[in-house]
Amino acid sequence: MTTETPRRQPTLDEVAERAGVSRSAASRVINNAPHVSRAKREAVRRAVDDLGYVPNATARALATQQAGSVVLAISGDDPAMFADPFFAEVVVGVNSVLEETELELMLSLATSSRGQARLEQLLRTRQADGVMLMSLHGDDPLATLAANASVPVVFGGRPLNFEPPYYVDADNRGGARLATEHLVKAGRRRIATITGRLDEGAGMARLQGFQDALAVAGLDNTLIENGEFREDGGATAMTRLLDEAPDLDAVFIASDQMAIGALRVLARAGRDVPGDVSIVGFNDITSARHTDPPLTTVNQPIHALGREMARMLLALMSGDQPSPLILPTQLVIRSSV
């Protein structure tokens, strides 16, 4: 009498291979994790049925120990940040993706040492399943925190001093170059810029785009003041520029918020826009349409920036390896040039 050899149980790797997904994605489907695409979920379930896969109870218990939340961490704790519609629009974009899952969104402002310590503790103890980082400055400690995180990390914008493996950014340099070229084509020759923070990737990239365009045109590209991406900073920088170069005839301003402050100063100084001075902003926030005159600006898809950050993070959490993404920018012509 012969003894029949017991049939070998299929493995999770075999399920993943049959379904054409990563091992991590297969595990998330089997363990009912919410943030997996419908197509992958169906493919894994078909593979489970075809192979007769039965999950190991112990492994399943470990796999389901998820926090059920992700973090959007912004390197900044200045209350003025919330006066800038940019960040609100990013949050709306992130949430538009997460609301299709069961993940909660947590917001962390992490500039102070206490804020950084809280975020580090949150990630070290895996109270979140992933993190999105924005507005890193120079040698920001958040970069080290991200490198040591045991959960997936996506950057919103490229940091100044390194290029992370996973990020979503806008074409800041190209957009600034387009804006400045438009001023040159309009016949302006004494062109200044008001920059954002130059210890941030976006701020530096927009300055470089401005300088690129004027260098090609053979014009002076050294009329530069810093407005810190703040409305009051834009007003102060515009005042300094008028003192330094009263003959200026155009300004590229690296955010619409700063441009609003600059327009206020020009009006007080009796400078007509665009008759005396042409202005181009950046971001295309809603209020740019309602300035006096309506603001020519560079549109970057802010809502899409948040949306694609969230999609990339979900892909990483599912075991995929998405490519970095740079979103296009385009010039929106209104009446300030």
Side-chain angles (χ1 to χ4, degrees):
M1 180 176 177
T2 58
T3 303
E4 192 173 302
T5 303
R7 182 176 179 272
R8 183 181 66 82
Q9 288 296 314
T11 66
L12 180 60
D13 287 324
E14 290 169 335
V15 171
E17 183 178 359
R18 171 69 68 92
V21 302
S22 67
R23 188 180 193 280
S24 174
S27 175
R28 289 181 178 277
V29 172
I30 290 166
N31 293 295
N32 242 353
H35 34 275
V36 181
S37 71
R38 179 179 297 175
K40 286 184 179 179
R41 195 178 296 278
E42 291 174 353
V44 171
R45 286 174 176 163
R46 283 196 301 270
V48 166
D49 291 341
D50 291 347
L51 296 172
Y53 175 77
V54 178
N56 176 280
T58 303
R60 180 167 188 145
L62 289 172
T64 54
Q65 291 179 1
Q66 297 168 357
S69 62
V70 296
V71 178
L72 175 61
I74 300 172
S75 185
D77 55 9
D78 184 350
M81 175 191 307
F82 295 103
D84 189 339
F86 174 86
F87 289 105
E89 189 70 11
V90 169
V91 172
V92 170
V94 169
N95 191 65
S96 70
V97 173
L98 295 184
E99 68 183 4
E100 297 176 4
T101 75
E102 295 180 16
L103 291 165
E104 296 291 336
L105 175 63
M106 294 190 288
L107 179 64
S108 174
L109 302 182
T111 290
S112 69
S113 56
R114 289 185 65 185
Q116 292 162 7
R118 283 197 302 270
L119 181 59
E120 184 175 8
Q121 169 73 8
L122 186 150
L123 296 180
R124 188 173 61 246
T125 56
R126 295 188 67 90
Q127 296 177 50
D129 298 315
V131 61
M132 294 163 281
L133 295 179
M134 293 194 71
S135 299
L136 271 64
H137 306 145
D139 296 322
D140 201 305
L142 290 190
T144 302
L145 189 154
N148 297 327
S150 59
V151 297
V153 178
V154 169
F155 286 77
R158 285 166 287 183
L160 191 61
N161 297 329
F162 71 100
E163 184 160 313
Y166 305 107
Y167 65 82
V168 181
D169 200 3
D171 183 11
N172 291 292
R173 188 167 183 166
R177 186 172 59 248
L178 277 175
T180 310
E181 287 171 348
H182 182 66
L183 292 170
V184 172
K185 289 174 184 175
R188 304 299 174 165
R189 292 296 178 265
R190 189 71 164 137
I191 305 174
T193 187
I194 297 175
T195 73
R197 293 188 60 140
L198 296 182
D199 60 352
E200 290 184 15
M204 181 55 74
R206 293 175 195 179
L207 172 60
Q208 290 169 334
F210 164 81
Q211 293 177 319
D212 291 345
L214 290 190
V216 169
L219 298 174
D220 176 24
N221 62 6
T222 62
L223 277 178
I224 300 168
E225 289 291 344
N226 194 315
E228 298 285 319
F229 283 132
R230 295 166 54 119
E231 184 175 329
D232 58 349
T236 301
M238 191 70 248
T239 300
R240 291 196 298 262
L241 283 172
L242 289 176
D243 290 341
E244 177 185 354
D247 60 334
L248 66 82
D249 59 8
V251 190
F252 164 61
I253 305 177
S255 80
D256 294 343
Q257 284 292 104
M258 293 192 297
I260 289 169
L263 285 170
R264 192 166 59 245
V265 169
L266 288 168
R268 284 204 302 263
R271 300 292 185 95
D272 179 71
V273 177
D276 300 320
V277 181
S278 290
I279 299 291
V280 180
F282 203 109
N283 284 337
D284 196 21
I285 61 176
T286 300
S287 53
R289 304 168 201 164
H290 306 296
T291 56
D292 185 19
L295 186 64
T296 295
T297 185
V298 177
N299 174 277
Q300 70 161 322
I302 305 172
H303 186 277
L305 180 69
R307 189 173 64 243
E308 295 303 329
M309 284 167 57
R311 285 178 175 169
M312 186 173 290
L313 186 63
L314 292 182
L316 286 169
M317 290 165 60
S318 296
D320 294 336
Q321 293 185 310
S323 298
L325 180 62
I326 299 178
L327 301 172
T329 51
Q330 61 182 353
L331 188 65
V332 178
I333 299 174
R334 298 194 179 102
S335 306
S336 63
V337 178

